[in-house]
Amino acid sequence: MSELLKDKIAKLNADALALQAKSSAELEVLRQKYLSKKGEVSLLFDEFKTFPKEEKAQWGAPLNQLKRLFETRMQELKDQLADSPANRLNDAPDLTRTPDPIALGTRHPLSLVREQIIDIFSRIGFTVADGPEVEDDKHVFGMLNFAPEHPARDMQDTFFVEKENGIQKPTDILLRTHTSSVQTRVMTAWSKALNNDPENAPHSLRVLCPGRVFRNEAISARAHCFFHQVEGLYIDKNVSFADLRQALLYFAKEMFGPETQIRLRPSYFPFTEPSAEMDISCDLCGGKGCAFCKGTGWVEILGCGMVDPNVLESCGIDSNVYTGYAFGLGVERIANLKYRVKDLRLFSENDVRFLEQFQSC
Ligand code: PHE
């Protein structure tokens, strides 16, 4: 019996020294083959238990040695595998796993509203024109019939650009206070085209001027030193105030819903005559009067009027032949009405908790 056991131990010792595994699966097979309950080493121990006492004393130590040899070999193989390139590949990210959802960005509420305004007016023939934010006095004020002493030309209201040794020097370079400056550029270009090539020049002008404008105001919940406008201009023969009213009524209903009413109140702008401010019926209370509309049932949304003949002439357009209307609205104002944003500063602070509340499309 002991001779047989001796052979078995010798064979298993040789097996242990020759153990090889290319993967943890193969290693597991070996573990089961030798060390599991029914494994070859364990079976020897079972056999050992049946030995008479005197034989046990002889075989206990070699059997334990054999078991430890298997355990160390297995551990060595395990360590080798853990370090093998194949195993490192196994630890690599599982590319077939369902990925975590990627947080989609949202569009800024001012972009959403600007796009919507442009979309509504583009359906009645308006196209978009662009112009510089840093402008000269001529395009922002001079050609728009502002008197030389007009308060908007004061540094209290307008940011002038040039400085010398940190001191503001008299200059006519400024940050535009409205996008009407783009209108003066577009009108001048159109009148040139009309003069140069009357056959091929467009017979009318219908543009939207969206953009950022700057005013020298203290920043608060209700005012900011910059905001966004979309101004509109339509010049043709026989453009009337009724055309202006109809275009604005169409806009109000498209923007705020078909039941929206408008009202025009006389106002004053240097570049339009007559001028008006437009209110829409308060969509919060349906015109009955609430805290939002200060009990009036109306909220102001834009300024408008018929282009002053002086403006047409300063841009080279014959005011005896052409008339036109213009309007200008604040994008923040419309966004406030749509989304009830109480604090203007939220629009420029880039707080994701605010921004992610808006749908991207
Ligand atoms: N430019 C004016 C403003 O910034 C708005 C306006 C435009 C008013 C066109 C009338 C006509 O306040």
Side-chain angles (χ1 to χ4, degrees):
M1 177 181 263
S2 29
E3 275 313 299
L4 207 65
L5 191 63
K6 196 178 166 193
D7 288 349
K8 280 187 189 167
I9 291 177
K11 182 209 161 257
L12 285 173
N13 252 318
D15 279 7
L17 294 173
L19 283 184
Q20 290 296 349
K22 285 199 215 71
S23 66
S24 38
E26 278 185 33
L27 190 63
E28 176 59 15
V29 171
L30 294 176
R31 195 194 61 78
Q32 289 190 7
K33 181 164 188 248
Y34 296 105
L35 294 177
S36 69
K37 262 195 176 162
K38 295 264 171 277
E40 293 181 31
V41 178
S42 311
L43 288 178
L44 281 193
F45 273 89
D46 291 347
E47 216 174 290
F48 167 80
K49 279 180 204 148
T50 66
F51 286 3
K53 238 190 187 151
E54 2 18 296
E55 286 198 25
K56 271 191 181 156
Q58 187 189 347
W59 294 110
L63 268 178
N64 275 329
Q65 254 176 23
L66 177 70
K67 190 173 176 197
R68 246 175 281 126
L69 179 64
F70 265 100
E71 283 169 352
T72 19
R73 283 296 296 142
M74 293 276 181
Q75 189 57 48
E76 277 170 18
L77 290 176
K78 198 171 168 193
D79 292 347
Q80 273 173 24
L81 282 173
D83 209 32
S84 73
N87 202 63
R88 265 186 253 127
L89 199 66
N90 286 342
D91 286 345
D94 176 2
L95 298 180
T96 61
R97 212 189 90 215
T98 313
D100 292 336
I102 297 167
L104 281 183
T106 53
R107 297 201 63 202
H108 194 282
L110 295 181
S111 303
L112 292 173
V113 170
R114 185 195 54 218
E115 293 309 312
Q116 200 181 347
I117 297 168
I118 291 173
D119 179 53
I120 292 170
F121 281 108
S122 69
R123 280 183 252 143
I124 52 170
F126 283 82
T127 54
V128 171
D130 209 1
E133 289 182 346
V134 180
E135 262 291 8
D136 53 17
D137 178 281
K138 192 172 100 183
H139 288 93
V140 177
F141 300 128
M143 292 167 78
L144 286 162
N145 203 33
F146 279 77
E149 69 282 2
H150 192 283
R153 289 183 142 135
D154 197 316
M155 265 162 43
Q156 302 299 321
D157 294 297
T158 303
F159 289 111
F160 290 86
V161 171
E162 275 176 57
K163 277 192 177 170
E164 207 168 89
N165 303 327
I167 298 162
Q168 190 75 54
K169 64 171 193 175
T171 174
D172 72 344
I173 305 298
L174 46 88
L175 300 184
R176 66 183 179 192
T177 56
H178 52 183
T179 58
S180 305
S181 53
V182 183
Q183 303 185 351
T184 52
R185 290 180 176 276
V186 172
M187 283 190 279
T188 310
W190 180 58
S191 73
K192 278 191 186 139
L194 272 181
N195 286 336
N196 290 345
D197 189 358
E199 292 288 297
N200 293 314
H203 65 84
S204 68
L205 198 58
R206 219 185 296 235
V207 287
L208 288 175
C209 309
R212 188 161 53 161
V213 300
F214 306 83
R215 291 186 195 175
N216 196 352
E217 293 200 32
I219 298 169
S220 71
R222 299 174 146 264
H224 213 299
C225 58
F226 65 82
F227 61 98
H228 299 78
Q229 286 190 323
V230 178
E231 295 213 353
L233 174 74
Y234 173 40
I235 314 262
D236 204 341
K237 290 171 183 155
N238 302 317
V239 179
S240 72
F241 200 89
D243 296 325
L244 170 62
R245 189 182 186 286
Q246 201 54 35
L248 294 178
L249 178 63
Y250 154 78
F251 166 72
K253 285 181 182 291
E254 289 294 306
M255 192 79 202
F256 297 104
E259 56 303 313
T260 311
Q261 312 272 313
I262 64 165
R263 128 180 134 167
L264 291 163
R265 284 177 291 103
S267 185
Y268 173 78
F269 297 103
F271 33 88
T272 46
E273 183 59 35
S275 303
E277 264 160 338
M278 186 176 96
D279 300 338
I280 56 163
S281 50
C282 176
D283 69 336
L284 204 60
C285 60
K288 286 191 202 79
C290 65
F292 185 74
C293 58
K294 300 193 187 82
T296 62
W298 297 96
V299 282
E300 185 194 320
I301 66 158
L302 57 81
C304 61
M306 300 306 292
V307 180
D308 194 293
N310 283 344
V311 173
L312 295 175
E313 295 294 340
S314 72
C315 297
I317 298 168
D318 187 345
S319 63
N320 294 315
V321 180
Y322 291 97
T323 50
Y325 66 66
F327 57 86
L329 42 88
V331 181
E332 279 82 349
R333 176 104 187 108
I334 308 285
N336 273 345
L337 289 173
K338 273 191 80 107
Y339 302 119
R340 312 272 175 224
V341 179
K342 292 226 172 67
D343 191 329
L344 258 185
R345 290 170 289 198
L346 284 168
F347 288 123
S348 50
E349 278 169 355
N350 275 343
D351 185 333
V352 280
R353 289 168 302 180
F354 170 71
L355 297 176
E356 67 192 5
Q357 294 174 50
F358 299 91
Q359 294 290 313
S360 0
C361 48

